[in-house]
Amino acid sequence: MPARSRTVAPPGWSRWLVPPAALSIHLAIGQVYAWSVFKPPLEASLGLSGTASALPFQVAIVMLGLSAAFGGTLVERKGPRWAMAVSALCFCSGFLVAACGAGTRQYWLVVAGYGLIGGTGLGIGYISPVSTLIKWFPDRPGLASGIAIMGFGGGALIASPWSTALLSAFGKDPAGIARTFLVMGLAYGVFMTLGVLLIRVPPDGHGDDGDGRGAGAGAAPARRPAATTARVSARTALRTPQFWCLWVVLCANVTAGIGILEKAAPMIMDFFAESSSPVTATAAAGFVGLLSLANMLGRILWSSVSDAVGRKHVYRLYLGAGALMYLLIALTGGSSKPVLIVCAAVILSFYGGGFATVPAYLKDLFGTYQVGAIHGRLLTAWSTAGILGPLIVNAIADAGKSAGHTGPGLYTTSFFLMIGVLALGFAANEFIRPVHPRHHEPAGAETSAAVAPDEGVAL
């Protein structure tokens, strides 16, 4: 691994070279949101159920949350180049192991490769460039985090049609799936390596002014963060009801979104399989790409709205309107493609917006003292939702197929369950109140002993 000292930007380095480095990582690992494209060929060629074909995705999301939650300190200490290199190694080797599993019909290798190994790369890659971007753009922290947010959310825009094209070219049998995994792993390796080589850290914690005059030269002053009197440590935050209410809120919002996202391609094909105009695999991949776009844009749109109306109000929108969207799909989605597409896109915009808004919600409640460490702990809600959402949708759909059901009826029960999950999250949001001053740290407490605030990442 390159020494950290070699990643410091030389004189004349422009900070505008850093966002492409971050995007090379986030656009690659955002491929996870296109997993549903692989579900139908895996199920057909290996005889898997929908629940089983979701397992690599579920394990990857669990590992993403865990590695991001517990790897933040190591990432900060080793530096972004080290972290991005580890991410590229794990993520791409996960594809190669999955290729071996598909080619030899050893499905457990697909789960271990894509899920365990690749998922670890997801988590490390997710957090690796964000704090560096914020250091380079102290005058534009929203832009900096937004770059990473949109990159991860939009990864499926590339991966979905690309995966479909590769499967069409190589075939949808185990050998074709293996070749697809192999090509994607190698291509992502090259793409992510460009980011590893390009990333730099500013020598003094500040970027240049964008005209190439050197790191730290003429950098605009950082904008003053919103005033807050809260100073709550990570250890203390875990003992507050606010943390656990917000954990439930995030888990509910993510469960509702990820349940659709993981099953998107086969879901829309099932909905209209018996109609006069069934959905093709290519069109289903386009649907996945559209949901990725909604996920990406929602991260910018709704987080901006939260600055105007407040975090609690915008989560009321995510959870309340999200439940309404699920109700509309359950009642009318099977008779109208536009209703299904629009409602699913709105739900996925709330999914992305929830990730982008939660760091600010944490700062509102707990202050900036150890918000990065608190945010890391909160990511376990994502890991939990990564299991719950796909499990609810796939298990019920599998049971329906076994009972001879077809079409929208395969999903109606799971959609009503999602409404209940969102209602639970809505109620938890209503219980959130300002943290009592008894939980605040003394004003003289040293933040240097804590996990650095910039270890938190905008999801």
Side-chain angles (χ1 to χ4, degrees):
M1 296 290 178
R4 180 184 174 96
S5 60
R6 298 188 62 185
T7 70
V8 176
W13 186 267
S14 173
R15 64 180 178 172
W16 294 103
L17 294 174
V18 179
L23 281 172
S24 73
I25 301 297
H26 278 244
L27 283 173
I29 63 177
Q31 182 278 336
V32 70
Y33 285 144
W35 175 254
S36 65
V37 174
F38 287 100
K39 286 174 66 67
L42 281 171
E43 292 169 16
S45 63
L46 298 181
L48 303 174
S49 66
T51 302
S53 68
L55 193 56
F57 174 85
Q58 289 175 293
V59 174
I61 294 299
V62 169
M63 293 306 299
L64 189 161
L66 294 177
S67 59
F70 299 108
T73 303
L74 185 62
V75 168
E76 288 296 312
R77 186 166 67 246
K78 294 286 189 177
R81 176 171 289 184
W82 176 90
M84 290 164 70
V86 170
S87 171
L89 179 63
C90 291
F91 183 68
C92 298
S93 62
F95 269 103
L96 303 185
V97 173
C100 292
T104 60
R105 297 177 179 265
Q106 298 294 316
Y107 186 59
W108 68 272
L109 278 175
V110 178
V111 177
Y114 190 91
L116 287 174
I117 301 173
T120 301
L122 286 177
I124 299 298
Y126 198 95
I127 62 177
S128 59
V130 176
S131 63
T132 303
L133 275 167
I134 293 173
K135 291 171 185 175
W136 275 108
F137 291 85
D139 55 319
R140 303 180 187 180
L143 171 65
S145 59
I147 290 169
I149 290 168
M150 292 185 69
F152 188 81
L157 281 174
I158 299 171
S160 181
W162 184 32
S163 303
T164 302
L166 289 174
L167 288 169
S168 297
F170 295 136
K172 298 180 181 180
D173 59 346
I177 296 171
R179 292 189 186 99
T180 298
F181 282 149
L182 176 63
V183 170
M184 295 186 76
L186 295 176
Y188 278 133
V190 173
F191 188 59
M192 296 174 79
T193 298
L194 295 177
V196 174
L197 297 175
L198 192 61
I199 195 69
R200 296 289 189 278
V201 295
D204 58 357
H206 300 286
D208 70 9
D209 60 359
D211 61 4
R213 289 183 292 164
R223 296 177 182 177
R224 184 179 301 274
T228 178
T229 58
R231 289 174 54 84
V232 183
S233 69
R235 182 185 298 271
T236 302
L238 294 178
R239 302 169 184 165
T240 65
Q242 287 85 353
F243 176 88
W244 293 108
C245 283
L246 191 53
W247 192 98
V248 172
V249 167
L250 181 62
C251 185
N253 193 56
V254 176
T255 298
I258 211 166
I260 284 184
L261 193 57
E262 187 275 335
K263 188 76 169 176
M267 179 185 294
I268 195 169
M269 294 172 71
D270 287 339
F271 255 73
F272 302 100
E274 299 179 352
S275 70
S276 58
S277 56
V279 176
T280 65
T282 301
F287 177 59
V288 175
L290 177 64
L291 295 186
S292 177
L293 179 63
N295 177 11
M296 178 177 68
L297 296 179
R299 295 169 185 246
I300 296 297
L301 172 63
W302 298 123
S303 60
S304 300
V305 170
S306 77
D307 289 333
V309 305
R311 323 302 171 195
K312 190 167 189 174
H313 287 312
V314 83
Y315 268 98
R316 286 169 172 155
L317 174 68
Y318 299 156
L319 301 162
L324 178 60
M325 294 299 104
Y326 261 115
L327 181 62
L328 287 174
I329 295 175
L331 297 179
T332 64
S335 60
S336 172
K337 289 179 184 176
V339 169
L340 173 61
I341 293 170
V342 170
C343 290
V346 171
I347 291 171
L348 263 295
S349 77
F350 293 157
Y351 170 84
F355 278 136
T357 308
V358 79
Y361 210 162
L362 285 171
K363 288 184 181 180
D364 293 346
L365 291 170
F366 302 107
T368 59
Y369 174 51
Q370 289 189 351
V371 70
I374 298 170
H375 193 186
R377 273 72 167 176
L378 195 73
L379 293 185
T380 55
W382 190 5
S383 296
T384 303
I387 296 174
L388 289 178
L391 182 62
I392 290 172
V393 175
N394 285 288
I396 292 175
D398 288 345
K401 288 181 179 179
S402 298
H405 299 160
T406 59
L410 295 171
Y411 301 97
T412 302
T413 301
S414 61
F415 288 169
F416 280 109
L417 283 176
M418 290 297 185
I419 292 173
V421 169
L422 288 167
L424 178 63
F426 191 96
N429 188 51
E430 295 304 304
F431 281 109
I432 295 178
R433 298 288 187 274
V435 176
H436 195 280
R438 71 173 179 270
H439 296 299
H440 295 185
E441 294 295 311
E446 292 293 332
T447 60
S448 60
V451 177
D454 59 15
E455 286 178 19
V457 294
L459 290 142

